[in-house]
Amino acid sequence: MNIQLTKFITYLAIFFGAIQAQAFEPKSNFSVNLERVRYCQNFWCTQQYTQPEYQVWDQEGVSKTHQLYTQIARIQQPMRENVRNLVFIAAGQQPPGYGSESSVTGQEDNYKKDCGVSKGSCSRSVDGRSLARQVLDSEYFPADDTFFAVAFDTQFNYMVSSSEKSRMERAYLNWLKSKAYASNLETIYLAGSSRGGCLAMRLAKALRDDPAFRKIRTIVHSFDGVCKWDQNEMGVTSSFFRSPVNSNYLSYYTDLDAQFPYKDNLYIRQLAGGDEVIEFTGVHSFVYSATDVSLGWYAQQWVDLNHITIDRDMTPTVRDLTVVPFLQHLDDIF
């Protein structure tokens, strides 16, 4: 090959690589209106109110307590007939107290402080280093045709009963479906960390099981997603694989091939750590393969990071192993 041409191609690759790297750099923080599905109308909370936006939680019979603590921010909401893209991103299960940060939704530590159950909504910040901020800034989900929401606290918690989880899943599912007409939709993007990863996967399965939504391009990103094996959530079993990069970690097996029989226009990516979520509980993430795989419809990568680091850490070295590969995956799809 001509030497000048070789140099030109090399410089071009470097140039576009630099542009892509810059695209994944942190953005500015931005404010959102964080809404409570249900809130207290008096001091003793004997009078409560489910907000009109979230009436489906009542309709599906989700418990009043779980409604009270579910907090969601609608970042973009065009008219239903204009929506071509649905984006929903969910944080992991929130610990007791004022709430924890998330590298996925971008919520900050202590975001619940001064935003108690008596407040229907509060202004909160989304971190510019997070997946949600980067996705919002991407060219793939324009503001004028994308419904975009993030859940800081889904209440889709590990110890919740199987029946209550099903009610919650239906509430989220029907709420999202109400934001667009299936015939207009081009892309559905669901992402989540830990328990949020399980919710994202369950919602994707439910949408794929619906013939009206089955052929729509569906992208699912799970950050060390955690489903409960003794409830057979998402088909997760007690069988497990040891992490190939850290033998102290393990993840439970689920047959995702069977869970998603309709694979056209389906793109799932799972980041697997396998660390025990809470010590001595036996709670771990789920995986489909013992090794890194790329099957077209499904990709999986093991990382030697503990669960909390995957869930919350946004330092540059960690972010390059967590958030950035998912952004690259989006680029590869589009």
Side-chain angles (χ1 to χ4, degrees), residues 201 227 232-241 251-259 270 285-289 297-298 300:
M201 201 74 77
C227 287
N232 198 225
E233 232 186 327
M234 275 302 300
V236 173
T237 68
S238 58
S239 300
F240 60 84
F241 294 124
S251 293
Y252 296 115
Y253 168 74
T254 182
D255 185 354
L256 288 177
D257 181 63
Q259 293 294 312
Q270 168 82 313
S285 58
F286 64 89
V287 292
Y288 178 45
S289 170
W297 67 273
Y298 178 79
Q300 175 185 301

Side-chain angles (χ1 to χ4, degrees), residues 10-27 134 137-140 319 324 327-328 331:
T10 302
Y11 293 147
L12 202 62
I14 293 171
F15 174 73
F16 282 109
I19 289 177
Q20 188 174 63
Q22 187 176 19
F24 297 157
E25 286 299 306
K27 313 300 179 186
Q134 297 286 143
D137 193 66
S138 74
E139 63 186 285
Y140 308 123
R319 191 171 171 273
V324 171
L327 298 174
Q328 179 64 64
D331 268 7

Side-chain angles (χ1 to χ4, degrees), residues 156-199:
F156 198 70
N157 297 342
Y158 188 81
M159 295 304 294
V160 169
S161 70
S162 181
S163 57
E164 178 73 346
K165 284 174 183 170
S166 293
R167 289 189 286 270
M168 288 183 181
E169 179 191 307
R170 290 195 301 269
Y172 281 105
L173 180 67
N174 292 331
W175 176 66
L176 288 171
K177 284 182 175 181
S178 75
K179 301 306 177 184
Y181 294 106
S183 58
N184 291 343
L185 273 178
E186 296 173 1
T187 303
I188 299 168
Y189 176 67
L190 304 166
S193 174
S194 190
R195 283 297 301 168
C198 184
L199 177 59

Side-chain angles (χ1 to χ4, degrees), residues 290-302:
T291 60
D292 292 351
V293 294
S294 184
L295 305 176
W297 67 273
Y298 178 79
Q300 175 185 301
Q301 182 179 6
W302 290 89

Side-chain angles (χ1 to χ4, degrees), residues 182-183 207 210-216:
S183 58
L207 287 164
D210 184 337
F213 290 83
R214 185 170 297 161
K215 295 183 180 180
I216 298 165

Side-chain angles (χ1 to χ4, degrees), residues 109-282:
D109 209 23
N110 296 320
Y111 70 89
K112 293 188 178 188
K113 191 173 183 180
D114 303 320
C115 188
V117 292
S118 63
K119 293 186 177 181
S121 65
C122 301
S123 178
R124 288 296 179 261
S125 182
V126 168
D127 195 298
R129 299 169 294 176
S130 65
L131 176 82
R133 181 67 180 95
Q134 297 286 143
V135 171
L136 183 68
D137 193 66
S138 74
E139 63 186 285
Y140 308 123
F141 303 111
D144 60 353
D145 65 9
T146 300
F147 175 81
F148 196 122
V150 295
F152 283 19
D153 190 342
T154 66
Q155 283 293 291
F156 198 70
N157 297 342
Y158 188 81
M159 295 304 294
V160 169
S161 70
S162 181
S163 57
E164 178 73 346
K165 284 174 183 170
S166 293
R167 289 189 286 270
M168 288 183 181
E169 179 191 307
R170 290 195 301 269
Y172 281 105
L173 180 67
N174 292 331
W175 176 66
L176 288 171
K177 284 182 175 181
S178 75
K179 301 306 177 184
Y181 294 106
S183 58
N184 291 343
L185 273 178
E186 296 173 1
T187 303
I188 299 168
Y189 176 67
L190 304 166
S193 174
S194 190
R195 283 297 301 168
C198 184
L199 177 59
M201 201 74 77
R202 285 184 58 160
L203 290 173
K205 174 176 167 52
L207 287 164
R208 283 270 142 175
D209 288 343
D210 184 337
F213 290 83
R214 185 170 297 161
K215 295 183 180 180
I216 298 165
R217 176 169 52 195
T218 302
I219 305 164
V220 190
H221 284 166
S222 173
F223 290 67
D224 213 31
V226 174
C227 287
K228 198 168 191 287
W229 70 262
D230 57 0
Q231 290 178 340
N232 198 225
E233 232 186 327
M234 275 302 300
V236 173
T237 68
S238 58
S239 300
F240 60 84
F241 294 124
R242 289 281 175 187
S243 165
V245 293
N246 186 332
S247 60
N248 292 318
Y249 294 168
L250 64 89
S251 293
Y252 296 115
Y253 168 74
T254 182
D255 185 354
L256 288 177
D257 181 63
Q259 293 294 312
F260 291 94
Y262 307 105
K263 298 177 178 63
D264 288 348
N265 249 347
L266 176 65
Y267 306 92
I268 298 174
R269 182 181 175 92
Q270 168 82 313
L271 184 73
D275 173 34
E276 191 172 33
V277 177
I278 302 172
E279 198 172 11
F280 307 123
T281 61

